Every structure is written in structure tokens, then in C-alpha cells.
Amino acid sequence: MYLVEHYRPGLSPELLAAAAADVRAAAPALAAEGRSITYVRTTIVPGDESYLSFFEAGSEEDVRAAYVRAGLVFERISAAIAAEPDLKEMI
């Protein structure tokens, strides 16, 4: 899993959500082209004017490719490990 950090001072939660939607749409297009990438979720942090996006991907390069496709910039991509299962997996 990969975590992507974005800080966008001055953007409303609605604009942060719109940016997240752009990269969410890029991931399946890349997967259809043979890249190993699946969008998982985005968490918006309005007080910090930021959002954090999670992807399952074969490599950091696959995640970067999604951002290039979406035309978005980010601050950092980090490998991440889920500390607990997703609630959907438990149902």
C-alpha cells in the first residue's frame, strides 16, 4: 500500500475532493493498460487544507504514473502498512 500526501493551502474541502476524484479516475485507466494499481480511499483534513490518498500498487512508479495522468502534484509518496483490516474486509 502507498500513502500520498497533498497540502493545498487555500482550497476548500470541495476542491480537495475534486482533486482526489481526478487521481481516483486515473488509477483504473492505468490498470486497464496493465499497471498494477488500485485506488483505495482518500481522507480530507480540512483544518490542514490537505488530503491523504491510499493506493494498492505494484510500485511507487505506478502511483506516480496515476498522478502524471491526473495532472496533479503531491508532496510525498510513502510505502504504508495497514495496522488493521479495512472494515469492508471484516463484513
Side-chain angles (χ1 to χ4, degrees):
M1 180 175 292
Y2 290 89
L3 165 68
V4 185
E5 300 173 46
H6 318 78
Y7 299 96
R8 299 292 171 268
L11 292 187
S12 67
E14 294 78 19
L15 289 174
L16 293 172
D22 289 343
V23 74
R24 181 176 59 240
L30 288 169
E33 295 171 8
R35 294 256 190 178
S36 176
I37 184 165
T38 302
Y39 170 84
V40 176
R41 81 174 59 81
T42 293
T43 300
I44 296 172
V45 186
D48 289 342
E49 300 172 307
S50 67
Y51 62 102
L52 307 168
S53 295
F54 295 87
F55 296 85
E56 290 289 348
S59 69
E60 183 177 316
E61 185 55 39
D62 290 333
V63 178
R64 286 182 185 281
Y67 279 84
V68 168
R69 173 77 53 101
L72 295 174
V73 296
F74 56 88
E75 275 58 52
R76 181 168 68 166
I77 297 176
S78 302
I81 300 169
E84 54 194 39
D86 190 328
L87 290 178
K88 290 183 223 172
E89 295 174 7
M90 297 173 65
I91 297 175

